[in-house]
């Protein structure tokens, strides 16, 4: 249970940030703007989407909110602790295994993602009458939060300076935001691009979020997302075990 010490450490840091009003706004303003702008501007003309465009968009906004907060805040926690405050090294000196360090930091990223995602989805439910998530949707967003939280650790350990994180966001996170079925269905994309983005974790999360009943496709999406998460866990554990200044 040593991972709880790491988790509580991250939560203590989050609690200090939560006291600042700007932190909450910065975490949710981007998806809120997109939700209202696309929902009111494009929603009335998008009549070919099953269930309506607003529920489709709201679930997409939920997925990218969880992705951004789970990934970015975790990557920042690791990289800032490495480069600026030199606090990350204290975790390496503590009698806690690499796996439990990763688990504690990842759970903190999951918590951040769920807090921001809940705000977005509650707003969507209140203003746009969006229905509750299905069980598959909840499992999908949970797995997505773990996947991107662990990815944040891997990137936070891999980058050589804080500025490199912006490049990762620009070349990996931002393209996933726009091409993984967040704003429009994947069938609008060329066939070759559908194949490429179809294996990305955000696409798998979006598919599960919009699943209402069990199917083999949803089960496969979940299995693929678990496999990606486990691969990232192995990579992160290797990086942490071999980490040195």
């Amino acid at each position: 249970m040593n991972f709880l010490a790491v988790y509580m450490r991250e939560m203590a840091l989050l609690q200090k940030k939560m006291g600042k009003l700007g932190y909450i706004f910065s975490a949710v303003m981007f998806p809120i703007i997109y939700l209202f702008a696309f929902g009111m501007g494009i929603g009335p003309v998008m009549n070919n989407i099953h269930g309506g465009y607003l529920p489709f968009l709201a679930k997409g906004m939920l997925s990218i909110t969880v992705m951004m907060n789970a990934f970015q805040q975790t990557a920042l926690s690791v990289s800032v602790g490495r480069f600026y405050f030199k606090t990350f090294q204290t975790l390496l000196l503590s009698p806690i295994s690499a796996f439990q360090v990763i688990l504690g930091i990842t759970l903190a990223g999951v918590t951040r993602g769920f807090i921001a995602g809940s705000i977005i989805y509650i707003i969507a439910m209140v203003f746009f009458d969006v229905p509750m998530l299905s069980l598959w949707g909840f499992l999908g967003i949970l797995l997505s939060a773990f996947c991107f939280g662990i990815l944040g650790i891997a990137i936070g350990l891999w980058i050589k300076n804080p500025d490199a994180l912006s490049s990762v966001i620009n070349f990996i996170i931002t393209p996933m935001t726009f091409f993984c079925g967040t704003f429009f269905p994947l069938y609008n994309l060329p066939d070759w691009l559908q194949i490429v983005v179809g294996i990305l974790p955000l696409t798998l999360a979006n598919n599960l979020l919009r699943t209402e009943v069990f199917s083999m496709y949803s089960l496969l999406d979940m299995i693929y997302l678990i496999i990606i998460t486990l691969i990232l866990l192995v990579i992160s554990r290797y990086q942490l075990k071999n980490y040195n200044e």
Side-chain angles (χ1 to χ4, degrees), residues 99 102 150 154 227-242:
F99 173 75
I102 292 170
I150 296 174
I227 290 172
I228 294 171
T229 303
L230 291 176
I231 291 172
L232 291 172
L233 176 59
V234 171
I235 293 172
S236 297
R237 188 175 182 275
Y238 174 81
Q239 288 177 302
L240 193 57
K241 293 279 286 185
N242 294 275

Side-chain angles (χ1 to χ4, degrees), residues 50-56 58-59 62 121-122 124-126 128-134 209 212:
H50 176 70
Y53 182 66
L54 280 172
F56 180 93
K59 292 174 181 178
L62 171 60
Y121 207 71
I122 288 171
M125 292 173 66
V126 171
F128 298 108
D129 198 26
V130 173
M132 290 284 290
L133 293 178
S134 66
L209 272 172
E212 300 297 333

Side-chain angles (χ1 to χ4, degrees), residues 30-63:
F30 164 74
I32 287 176
I33 290 171
Y34 271 85
L35 180 63
F36 277 87
F38 279 74
M40 293 187 294
I42 299 178
V45 298
M46 296 287 285
N47 299 318
N48 61 333
I49 295 179
H50 176 70
Y53 182 66
L54 280 172
F56 180 93
L57 178 65
K59 292 174 181 178
M61 290 297 98
L62 171 60
S63 68

Side-chain angles (χ1 to χ4, degrees), residues 136 143 198 204 207-208 214-228:
W136 284 101
L143 286 173
L204 301 173
N207 291 343
L208 289 167
F214 171 79
S215 70
M216 286 304 299
Y217 292 108
S218 56
L219 181 60
L220 287 174
D221 286 337
M222 183 169 290
I223 291 172
Y224 291 151
L225 193 51
I226 291 172
I227 290 172
I228 294 171

Side-chain angles (χ1 to χ4, degrees), residues 173-196:
I173 300 300
T174 300
M176 278 200 292
T177 298
F178 289 98
F179 286 100
C180 288
T182 301
F183 298 101
F184 51 82
L186 292 182
Y187 57 70
N188 289 333
L189 297 174
D191 292 341
W192 66 269
L193 190 53
Q194 290 185 42
I195 296 172
V196 173

